[in-house]
Amino acid sequence: MKLLKCFSLLLAASLLPMAVGAQVINGDLNHNNALDVGDVTLVIDGYLTGETEVISSEVDHFREDNTLVVGTWYKSKTDVLVLNADGTTNYGSGYTYRFLPSQGCILFFNASQTPVDYIKVIYFNSNSMGKYMAAKLPGKDALTIYYTEPIQPVETITLSQTTLSLQLDSDPIRLTATVEPADADNTAVVWTSSNEDVATVSSRGSVEAMGEGTTTITCTAADGSGVKATCEVTVGETTPTPQPSGTITYTVKGVSFKMVSVSGGTFKMGAQKTSSSSSNYDADAYDNEAPVHNVTLSDYQIGETEVTQALWVAVMGSNPSNWLGDNLPVETVSWNDCQEFITKLNAATGMTFRLPTEAEWEFAARGGTKSQGYKYSGSNTLGDVAWYTENSSSKTHAVGTKQANELGLYDMSGNVWEWCSDWYASTYDSSAQSNPTGPTTGSSRVRRGGSWYNNSGSCRVTYRNFNTPTISSYYNGLRLALSSTR
């Protein structure tokens, strides 16, 4: 809140008490006196030397008792004696602004005009935001004007998420609001829900599911600027507990991680957008996702989560990640880095861990033999299962904090891209294949799943991407695979 200032023009003593810390300027109220408060010169009286322009008519203002005063703002060319903030005066001419109530007069008064006792004036400066002003007229020979400096309004509000999917048994999820500019006079916000039977929102932005349906959470600036942002919330039934086909826990140097057993089978790999009546149609599909083809896989194991930083550090002794946390996915790792990690992991465990093939990755992301045909891994609503550009706040998140897919696998859509073992080819082989491992040579390796940075299209279970094996950006991580020993 800006500092309240007080200016007084006195012939008789003002009846208003002074605000603590307020600045007071005294001056004689003579024929041409004016009070300059910066953006606006308040003219007590003056000689008009040019045309007067109406800049705002029928403006509503309020007296202290909240009764309405209607008046007009005028801009005029006027000869005035200006009382400056430092107590000096100067005579000249310029544009002045006046507010004339329809009954009585605030800025002009004489024996034939009776001023209102008190008025609150809201006018607009160059920033199109109001400045508060109050004029107390204890008598026609005295005037005291209180005002605040021009305020800095809120210009934008950005929410941490614009869509949110909850289940009835979900824990409350906190939305955060970023207010710009950060030095706005009042950065407070007000949260409301359009349907509290579906979800409520606390004064701190915590959203709690109450019943199935949809509602809109609105965050509104409390400064009266009208700036707001919204989040669309959908609440579904209780989340079913994933039923994985079996998990196996491995431990290396005190750090445990889980692998999920995947029963092999035959599936149609890829997607196409040319025929809505044909298999694996997806209007968002790219050419490199075609042709759709049959793939048969043997049993295998795949990581329940992406490799965490805790596991990487246990094996490698160092952490390359940009965002640090034991349960965050390791990132900023190249395909070659992953091969070195796997070599050391196998030496420490006596196992033969590896990266999944692209076919194994897609089969697992689809939910294996339990697939429900979702567009993303575990849901058709991406926010339920993935950290991506709309909800990630531009960073990675702890593994396993979103909903699992049909196999009990987490984060196969979003969070970090996951390297696969295959060389990348721009199209698939159309023939039926068994345990394919991709091209025998190439310049780039496949990565799948999308990341915290990507939009929804990149997080589809069929979307394909690639990087050269030496690239180690903070979008790239990995998930382990293991051939079945059964």
Side-chain angles (χ1 to χ4, degrees):
M1 178 62 68
K2 301 289 186 180
L3 176 66
L4 181 69
K5 293 184 179 179
C6 169
F7 287 89
S8 297
L9 290 172
L10 299 173
L11 282 180
S14 171
L15 301 181
L16 275 182
M18 270 179 28
V20 176
Q23 180 184 6
V24 179
I25 295 178
N26 296 320
D28 292 332
L29 183 61
N30 293 322
H31 185 62
N32 285 333
N33 272 8
L35 179 62
D36 188 347
V37 293
D39 289 348
V40 175
T41 298
L42 299 180
V43 178
I44 306 306
D45 201 352
Y47 297 113
L48 298 184
T49 58
E51 293 185 359
T52 297
E53 173 188 1
V54 176
I55 59 173
S56 182
S57 61
E58 297 303 306
V59 179
D60 294 347
H61 302 297
F62 293 87
R63 295 187 180 94
E64 188 176 27
D65 62 1
N66 289 324
T67 57
L68 184 65
V69 178
V70 178
T72 302
W73 275 104
Y74 292 90
K75 175 182 179 182
S76 304
K77 184 78 171 181
T78 310
D79 290 323
V80 296
L81 181 67
V82 178
L83 177 64
N84 300 313
D86 62 1
T88 62
T89 59
N90 60 281
Y91 182 86
S93 63
Y95 285 106
T96 60
Y97 296 79
R98 319 149 185 242
F99 175 75
L100 301 183
S102 56
Q103 294 181 351
C105 180
I106 285 296
L107 303 181
F108 289 80
F109 60 92
N110 55 40
S112 65
Q113 294 172 314
T114 303
V116 294
D117 292 332
Y118 190 97
I119 190 168
K120 289 193 292 186
V121 179
I122 300 293
Y123 64 90
F124 290 87
N125 60 21
S126 59
N127 293 324
S128 298
M129 284 301 299
K131 180 189 289 186
Y132 171 84
M133 183 177 296
K136 172 72 174 178
L137 303 178
K140 65 181 181 180
D141 293 330
L143 172 64
T144 301
I145 298 174
Y146 289 86
Y147 74 96
T148 60
E149 298 289 347
I151 67 173
Q152 171 60 61
V154 172
E155 296 175 357
T156 62
I157 297 175
T158 303
L159 297 185
S160 54
Q161 295 178 236
T162 56
T163 60
L164 189 60
S165 295
L166 301 174
Q167 278 70 43
L168 289 176
D169 60 346
S170 296
D171 291 331
I173 293 181
R174 171 85 178 277
L175 295 175
T176 58
T178 301
V179 176
E180 296 291 344
D183 63 348
D185 286 73
N186 184 358
T187 57
V189 294
V190 177
W191 296 91
T192 56
S193 171
S194 64
N195 189 344
E196 293 192 341
D197 291 334
V198 174
T200 59
V201 61
S202 73
S203 61
R204 296 176 60 82
S206 180
V207 181
E208 183 173 3
M210 305 299 291
E212 293 184 42
T214 59
T215 185
T216 300
I217 302 299
T218 302
C219 178
T220 305
D223 69 350
S225 62
V227 175
K228 63 182 62 177
T230 60
C231 175
E232 300 301 321
V233 177
T234 301
V235 177
E237 62 185 10
T238 301
T239 306
T241 302
Q243 298 296 321
S245 54
T247 58
I248 304 168
T249 301
Y250 297 87
T251 302
V252 57
K253 297 183 179 179
V255 177
S256 296
F257 61 99
K258 293 181 179 180
M259 301 290 288
V260 174
S261 296
V262 180
S263 299
T266 299
F267 75 109
K268 291 186 178 297
M269 184 174 180
Q272 53 83 25
K273 59 180 178 182
T274 56
S275 174
S276 59
S277 60
S278 299
S279 298
N280 292 23
Y281 173 77
D282 186 341
D284 296 326
Y286 288 85
D287 291 343
N288 70 346
E289 298 170 36
V292 175
H293 57 291
N294 287 331
V295 170
T296 300
L297 296 174
S298 301
D299 297 347
Y300 62 100
Q301 297 174 27
I302 193 165
E304 181 183 59
T305 69
E306 295 152 336
V307 170
T308 64
Q309 293 177 27
L311 179 57
W312 184 278
V313 171
V315 173
M316 302 294 285
S318 61
N319 190 349
S321 302
N322 184 63
W323 297 280
L324 300 180
D326 285 350
N327 209 35
L328 294 177
V330 69
E331 29 83 6
T332 318
V333 291
S334 69
W335 189 92
N336 290 343
D337 293 333
C338 294
Q339 298 307 307
E340 181 182 356
F341 165 78
I342 289 170
T343 297
K344 292 184 177 181
L345 175 64
N346 290 340
T349 61
M351 305 299 292
T352 54
F353 292 104
R354 56 180 173 81
L355 293 176
T357 66
E358 185 174 18
E360 288 173 333
W361 190 96
E362 184 170 320
F363 185 60
R366 288 176 175 273
T369 59
K370 299 182 178 183
S371 176
Q372 298 297 308
Y374 295 129
K375 187 167 187 171
Y376 312 106
S377 184
S379 178
N380 286 327
T381 303
L382 184 55
D384 289 350
V385 295
W387 297 108
Y388 70 117
T389 186
E390 294 294 332
N391 65 4
S392 69
S393 300
S394 298
K395 62 182 180 180
T396 60
H397 291 260
V399 301
T401 53
K402 286 290 185 177
Q403 181 178 310
N405 77 353
E406 300 93 319
L407 292 175
L409 304 175
Y410 296 89
D411 302 305
M412 293 203 77
S413 289
N415 219 5
V416 291
W417 287 101
E418 299 175 13
W419 287 110
C420 294
S421 61
D422 304 41
W423 289 108
Y424 173 77
S426 59
T427 59
Y428 289 129
D429 187 336
S430 62
S431 62
Q433 300 171 54
S434 180
N435 296 319
T437 57
T440 57
T441 188
S443 59
S444 296
R445 296 286 184 173
V446 173
R447 62 177 188 170
R448 287 295 209 108
S451 76
W452 57 268
Y453 176 80
N454 297 103
N455 61 22
S456 59
S458 300
C459 297
R460 295 177 297 111
V461 293
T462 59
Y463 184 81
R464 306 178 69 213
N465 201 277
F466 57 92
N467 262 166
T468 57
T470 57
I471 292 293
S472 57
S473 74
Y474 52 21
Y475 315 115
N476 293 340
L478 76 153
R479 185 184 301 264
L480 293 170
L482 185 66
S483 296
S484 177
T485 56
R486 291 183 298 172

